[in-house]
């Protein structure tokens, strides 16, 4: 009897704490949004607002990679007018709701995956990668960051089409990322 009373009290306390929990502050990372191929996770994205910057982090599972935001323009430069058999879909990031882009995108330096003997040129990311841009805020409480692209492993690819809800409330924080380690998207 005492045991069930204690258990009921713990459950009630837990429910009260969950219902009064504040939504995440703008400076916190969002929960990761996963891209899966069948049951296997390929890549996960999360975002945060730091001052007037939106920071997006991609975390790739071993064996998986995605492509740079400027993959198509880099490939066109290398091809110099010649035709290629295929282009890999670049990462595209857009924002809606309470945010508007107010500057160029910056990304982690991409790895060169190119195979010139096949006239295939591609640049992208393995492990972790960051994408950052300056933004203007609107008078709203929530924005959405949409990410489209392609995640590939050795023998398969998966289209990416995810949205990350990004809260705009709370205090602004300073970026915890070394912006000098990023390069401007071409």
């Amino acid at each position: 009897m005492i045991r069930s009373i204690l258990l009921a009290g713990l459950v009630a306390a837990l429910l009260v704490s969950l219902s009064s929990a504040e939504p995440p502050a703008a400076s916190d990372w969002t929960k990761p949004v996963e891209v899966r191929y069948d049951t296997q996770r390929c890549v996960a994205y999360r975002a945060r607002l730091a001052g007037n910057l939106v920071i997006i982090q991609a975390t790739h599972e071993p064996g998986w990679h995605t492509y740079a935001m400027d993959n198509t323009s880099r490939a066109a430069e290398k091809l110099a007018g010649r035709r290629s058999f295929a282009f890999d879909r670049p990462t595209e990031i857009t924002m809606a709701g309470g945010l508007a882009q107010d500057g160029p995108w910056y990304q982690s330096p991409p790895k060169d995956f190119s195979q010139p003997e096949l006239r295939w040129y591609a640049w992208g990311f393995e492990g972790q990668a960051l994408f950052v841009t300056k933004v203007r805020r609107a008078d709203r409480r929530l924005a959405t960051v949409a990410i489209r692209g392609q995640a590939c492993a050795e023998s398969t690819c998966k289209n990416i089409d995810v949205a990350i809800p990004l809260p705009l409330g709370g205090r602004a924080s300073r970026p915890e990322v070394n912006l000098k380690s990023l390069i401007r998207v071409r």
Side-chain angles (χ1 to χ4, degrees), residues 94-113:
T94 57
M95 289 170 282
L99 292 176
Q101 187 176 335
D102 193 29
W105 278 101
Y106 291 84
Q107 64 187 355
S108 296
K111 180 179 177 181
D112 189 349
F113 298 131

Side-chain angles (χ1 to χ4, degrees), residues 60-130:
H60 302 82
E61 290 299 309
W64 287 90
H65 60 272
T66 57
Y67 296 97
M69 292 182 81
D70 50 9
N71 189 55
T72 304
S73 61
R74 287 171 177 264
E77 285 175 17
K78 287 289 188 180
L79 287 165
R82 294 176 294 159
R83 296 188 67 161
S84 178
F85 297 112
F87 283 97
D88 296 295
R89 188 172 181 187
T91 299
E92 300 171 11
I93 304 171
T94 57
M95 289 170 282
L99 292 176
Q101 187 176 335
D102 193 29
W105 278 101
Y106 291 84
Q107 64 187 355
S108 296
K111 180 179 177 181
D112 189 349
F113 298 131
S114 301
Q115 295 179 26
E117 66 280 4
L118 301 176
R119 271 193 294 174
W120 177 71
Y121 296 95
W123 290 261
F125 310 104
E126 298 173 317
Q128 283 194 342
L130 293 175

